[in-house]
Amino acid sequence: MKIKVLTLFPRFYDSFLDTSIVKRALAKGIVEFSSIDIRSYTKDKYGRVDSAPVGGGAGLIEQLQPLVDCLRANKGPSAHVVFFTPRGHTYRQEDALRFSKMEELVLVCGHYEGVDERFLSYVDEELSIGDYVLTGGEIPAMAVADSVTRLLPGAIADASLEDESFTNGLLEYPQYAEPYEYEGKKIPDILYSGNHEAIAKWRKKEALRVTKERRPDLYRNYPLGKADRKLVKELEEGNEEPEWLKKALEKGRKFIKKD
Ligand code: ADE
């Protein structure tokens, strides 16, 4: 897949491209990334890309000519063009998944007080990454490039994607790494039981608990199955150690807890 970012600050992405999963995905040829300088397309003899808002007001507005010419020169025939603005719809994991199936994504970063409104007729979609105002679209474009790249086949192990937050409509269950005890805080014993069914059940219950507590909006839309409803009932009754958990803990293999 190709990701192209049109920006006034192309160097912004240097360290991003030189880091971790994105770096590996680039090296493996899973993704091609380029950041393109909008300013290099201006026809203004002083290199300007912006001017004062027509009708008066504060700040500078990005002009159409450099933006449109830069977009035309760089977008391929199958490109999907995204423009970042707090007025766009809020970016979600389902958008990342949708983008990850595309051949070419062109991410246009606005700056200053905004862009000429007419530019919006050249883009396919307007996106926001949250209800706050950034100085430009570079950070949103980086967030999109990162979240899309990690979903591309071969970028990370498929198993890592299965249970992660938002993918199945719930937040992710808690995860732990050795040591067993750290400053008095212990890893839940069930995770040492070797009972994969009970571990999966405990994790599902935790995912339900965390989502219900923190994101009631997601929880309301989650289609609870029969087994889920039982787990929710346990949560509501404050039953921390129901029979299935007790049994799994008693019968569980006694793993050595390394400290
Ligand atoms: N540009 C400025 N703020 C933004 C935001 N929250 N999301 C997307 N683009 C932006």
Side-chain angles (χ1 to χ4, degrees):
M1 151 176 223
K2 286 191 183 123
I3 301 178
K4 296 174 182 170
V5 180
L6 313 192
T7 170
L8 289 168
F9 302 97
R11 300 295 308 275
F12 194 88
Y13 296 93
D14 290 357
S15 65
F16 170 69
L17 299 178
D18 200 25
T19 313
S20 157
I21 287 170
V22 174
K23 185 179 184 179
R24 250 186 15 233
L26 286 166
K28 285 196 205 167
I30 292 167
V31 67
E32 280 174 44
F33 183 96
S34 44
S35 56
I36 298 140
D37 188 1
I38 296 168
R39 195 179 299 276
S40 66
Y41 288 85
T42 184
K43 292 190 172 131
D44 182 89
K45 62 181 174 188
Y46 301 108
R48 275 186 305 227
V49 290
D50 50 64
S51 62
V54 175
L60 293 168
I61 305 298
E62 278 190 68
Q63 292 165 305
L64 274 179
Q65 179 274 314
L67 279 167
V68 172
D69 285 355
C70 181
L71 182 58
R72 286 222 173 100
N74 289 290
K75 76 177 241 198
S78 62
H80 183 75
V81 182
V82 174
F83 178 69
F84 293 103
T85 162
R87 284 159 67 190
H89 74 86
T90 309
Y91 186 59
R92 295 166 60 89
Q93 188 65 16
E94 65 211 38
D95 299 306
L97 203 60
R98 177 165 58 89
F99 290 165
S100 73
K101 294 176 182 136
M102 292 176 173
E103 255 174 68
E104 182 179 318
L105 199 54
V106 176
L107 308 175
V108 187
C109 308
H111 238 272
Y112 307 118
E113 293 307 306
V115 303
D116 185 313
E117 184 79 7
R118 293 169 290 179
F119 183 63
L120 303 179
S121 66
Y122 296 84
V123 312
D124 297 311
E125 186 164 348
E126 292 170 56
L127 270 189
S128 163
I129 59 162
D131 290 346
Y132 43 83
V133 180
L134 297 161
T135 54
E138 283 72 19
I139 290 170
M142 196 183 280
V144 168
D146 184 277
S147 54
V148 169
T149 299
R150 63 189 291 289
L151 293 177
L152 298 174
I156 55 176
D158 287 349
S160 310
L161 300 175
E162 278 166 19
D163 282 338
E164 70 183 9
S165 292
F166 309 115
T167 299
N168 60 17
L170 294 175
L171 298 179
E172 194 180 8
Y173 50 78
Q175 297 269 41
Y176 301 88
E178 300 281 3
Y180 169 63
E181 185 169 350
Y182 188 81
E183 295 189 344
K185 300 174 219 305
K186 292 176 184 164
I187 294 176
D189 286 335
I190 186 66
L191 300 176
Y192 286 95
S193 68
N195 182 335
H196 298 298
E197 212 177 302
I199 291 173
K201 200 165 170 177
W202 180 87
R203 285 178 164 164
K204 186 68 185 282
K205 187 173 169 179
E206 283 298 300
L208 288 164
R209 180 180 64 75
V210 173
T211 310
K212 193 164 183 258
E213 276 171 18
R214 299 185 189 182
R215 291 293 302 271
D217 56 323
L218 288 181
Y219 181 76
R220 265 195 304 277
N221 288 325
Y222 184 73
L224 289 174
K226 204 171 156 199
D228 298 330
R229 279 198 292 274
K230 266 194 189 162
L231 295 175
V232 171
K233 193 156 172 260
E234 288 174 13
L235 288 169
E236 286 168 353
E237 288 168 354
N239 190 356
E240 289 291 318
E241 251 198 27
E243 278 310 308
W244 63 267
L245 186 60
K246 264 191 212 139
K247 258 195 213 150
L249 286 169
E250 277 160 21
K251 277 205 194 152
R253 276 191 270 153
K254 296 284 176 249
F255 276 85
I256 295 168
K257 294 164 187 167
K258 292 170 272 172
D259 272 330

